[in-house]
Amino acid sequence: MIPLVPVFIKSKELLEKLSLLLDKERHAYNDSDTSKIVYLSEQKQSLLDEMDQLNEKRLNILIKFNILDRKKPTEEEFKVWLDKQDSHFDDIRLLIRECETLLKECKTKNHTNSRILSTLQKRNKHLFELLQGHSGKNKVYTSSGSTRPISSKQTIGRA
């Protein structure tokens, strides 16, 4: 038997952890807790690195058992092979479906967090420009052809 079940079980566990981490990240954005955001991003990177290593292990197993082409392994090739297998591989099929569902959920959460972060960055940039007395709408061209904001003499810091 091909030792894939432990690999997919571990993948599922990592995806579940990632999903929880993405929820915590969203709450940290809501709380504007920068130290927590940095900590969570480090945790997220660690999980993604572990997932990459696990995927590499899975590919090596599939190549070792001549399921995938050594030179150009593809997911499609594995799925075609798996579809041809008997019911002994049903547990792997189930784990793959669960992992795909979790992955889709994680991608959605990550996209949502990305949009939240983008909104926060725009808001902070706007507030910073207000503090400096700049307006994003009032820009002039420099001699090099780029643009820069026009500075106001009445900044909050000078008021």
Side-chain angles (χ1 to χ4, degrees):
M1 187 67 144
I2 302 170
L4 285 175
V5 171
V7 172
F8 283 109
I9 289 173
K10 183 67 176 173
S11 290
K12 181 181 172 189
E13 289 171 2
L14 291 174
L15 287 166
E16 288 169 341
K17 286 180 183 179
L18 181 60
S19 180
L20 291 173
L21 213 60
L22 289 166
D23 289 337
K24 290 178 183 179
E25 183 181 57
R26 188 180 66 246
H27 293 297
Y29 288 148
N30 186 46
D31 298 340
S32 297
D33 188 344
T34 54
S35 60
K36 193 172 185 180
I37 292 168
V38 170
Y39 172 76
L40 291 171
S41 68
E42 290 169 354
Q43 294 290 312
K44 192 166 62 168
Q45 186 60 51
S46 175
L47 274 177
L48 293 173
D49 290 343
E50 195 173 345
M51 289 172 71
D52 283 342
Q53 291 172 355
L54 195 59
N55 191 45
E56 189 69 31
K57 180 179 180 179
R58 182 183 61 88
L59 286 175
N60 288 335
I61 290 170
L62 293 172
I63 289 170
K64 179 181 175 183
F65 283 88
N66 293 320
I67 296 168
L68 296 181
D69 180 26
R70 184 173 300 280
K71 294 180 183 176
K72 190 179 174 188
T74 64
E75 286 298 316
E76 187 61 32
E77 189 178 4
F78 170 63
K79 288 184 178 185
V80 167
W81 174 85
L82 188 59
D83 286 341
K84 294 177 183 176
Q85 304 308 307
D86 60 16
S87 63
H88 288 75
F89 288 87
D90 283 347
D91 51 347
I92 292 176
R93 287 184 188 97
L94 177 63
L95 282 168
I96 289 172
R97 279 194 300 275
E98 291 172 342
C99 286
E100 287 173 344
T101 301
L102 282 167
L103 181 60
K104 186 177 179 182
E105 178 184 313
C106 287
K107 285 181 178 182
T108 301
K109 288 179 179 184
N110 193 55
H111 180 71
T112 300
N113 289 355
S114 171
R115 289 180 31 221
I116 291 169
L117 181 60
S118 176
T119 301
L120 290 173
Q121 287 173 331
K122 287 176 186 174
R123 183 191 71 187
N124 288 342
K125 181 181 178 201
H126 178 71
L127 290 173
F128 184 68
E129 286 175 347
L130 284 175
L131 285 172
Q132 287 185 320
H134 297 169
S135 170
K137 295 176 184 173
N138 301 330
K139 293 187 177 187
V140 295
Y141 286 102
T142 64
S143 60
S144 64
S146 60
T147 60
R148 68 174 173 84
I150 298 173
S151 180
S152 170
K153 300 234 187 262
Q154 296 298 323
T155 63
I156 292 176
R158 292 182 189 160

